[in-house]
């Protein structure tokens, strides 16, 4: 895992990831959030457990995404972590199916009332395949633009 961007002022970071399965990449991202102080050491296990019950894979087109998140009790400070995968990883989808995911948006949400607004912004973003392609290509200007828009209230 390599950090591409870490913006503590705006509470987001972006990392590149490689792994063989969803648990591996989730744990890598959770570790990045923990290193930055955004989440507690319970976050990784909590997010893996929640993902097994409420899968977050989204088949949205050529580039699919996942939005793993968990309860605020595992969070120190709100943040968003973008994970760009070297190669797609299989994630479960809510209907019991699977999808090959290339991008992850991991949420560390401090207040439950903030969750729905963040998810709505992400769903809108995930429907724009051109933007997702720019993110996947690691365009730092586009990543900063998108992440800034996500974290703004």
């Amino acid at each position: 895992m390599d950090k591409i961007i870490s913006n503590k002022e705006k509470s987001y970071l972006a990392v590149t990831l490689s792994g063989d399965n969803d648990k591996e990449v989730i744990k890598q991202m959770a570790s990045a959030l923990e290193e930055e102080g955004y989440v507690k050491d319970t976050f990784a296990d909590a997010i893996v457990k929640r993902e097994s019950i409420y899968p977050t894979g989204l088949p949205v087109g050529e580039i699919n995404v996942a939005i793993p998140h968990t309860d605020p009790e595992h969070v120190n400070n709100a943040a968003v972590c973008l994970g760009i995968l070297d190669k797609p990883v299989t994630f479960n989808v809510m209907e019991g199916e699977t999808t090959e995911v290339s991008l992850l948006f991991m949420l560390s949400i401090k207040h439950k009332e903030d969750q729905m607004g963040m998810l709505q912004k992400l769903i809108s973003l995930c429907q724009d395949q051109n933007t997702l392609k720019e993110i996947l290509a690691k365009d730092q200007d586009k990543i900063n633009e998108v992440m800034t828009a996500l974290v703004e209230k």
Side-chain angles (χ1 to χ4, degrees):
M1 175 185 66
D2 291 317
K3 284 184 190 157
I4 302 171
I5 296 168
S6 176
N7 188 325
K8 287 208 179 223
E9 181 183 316
K10 294 183 181 176
S11 300
Y12 68 79
L13 64 147
V15 297
T16 58
L17 304 165
S18 61
D20 294 325
N21 59 58
D22 57 345
K23 288 177 185 61
E24 278 185 32
V25 295
I26 285 172
K27 286 183 177 186
Q28 287 177 48
M29 289 183 74
S31 175
L33 283 166
E34 187 179 347
E35 285 173 21
E36 297 280 326
Y38 293 115
V39 299
K40 299 175 182 172
D41 61 1
T42 58
F43 186 80
D45 288 339
I47 213 162
V48 167
K49 182 177 180 182
R50 187 186 187 286
E51 190 73 23
S52 71
I53 301 166
Y54 302 107
T56 63
L58 293 173
V60 291
E62 184 182 337
I63 298 171
N64 298 312
V65 302
I67 308 173
H69 55 284
T70 194
D71 299 318
E73 68 213 42
H74 305 286
V75 173
N76 294 322
N77 297 298
V80 179
C81 182
L82 165 65
I84 302 172
L85 296 169
D86 291 344
K87 64 179 183 1
V89 170
T90 303
F91 269 74
N92 290 321
V93 177
M94 206 44 116
E95 300 84 35
E97 309 213 350
T98 61
T99 190
E100 294 298 306
V101 167
S102 299
L103 296 173
L104 286 88
F105 291 91
M106 182 172 281
L107 310 179
S108 83
I109 297 173
K110 187 68 178 158
H111 304 287
K112 274 199 183 284
E113 59 270 16
D114 297 338
Q115 182 171 315
M116 194 48 85
M118 177 63 75
L119 290 173
Q120 287 171 336
K121 286 182 185 179
L122 279 167
I123 298 300
S124 177
L125 166 67
C126 293
Q127 293 171 353
D128 183 348
Q129 286 288 308
N130 288 330
T131 296
L132 296 180
K133 285 177 186 170
E134 289 179 79
I135 293 170
L136 193 60
K138 301 175 189 160
D139 179 321
Q140 289 198 4
D141 291 337
K142 181 53 82 172
I143 291 169
N144 277 315
E145 175 189 321
V146 166
M147 298 300 281
T148 297
L150 284 176
V151 298
E152 288 177 345
K153 300 257 180 201

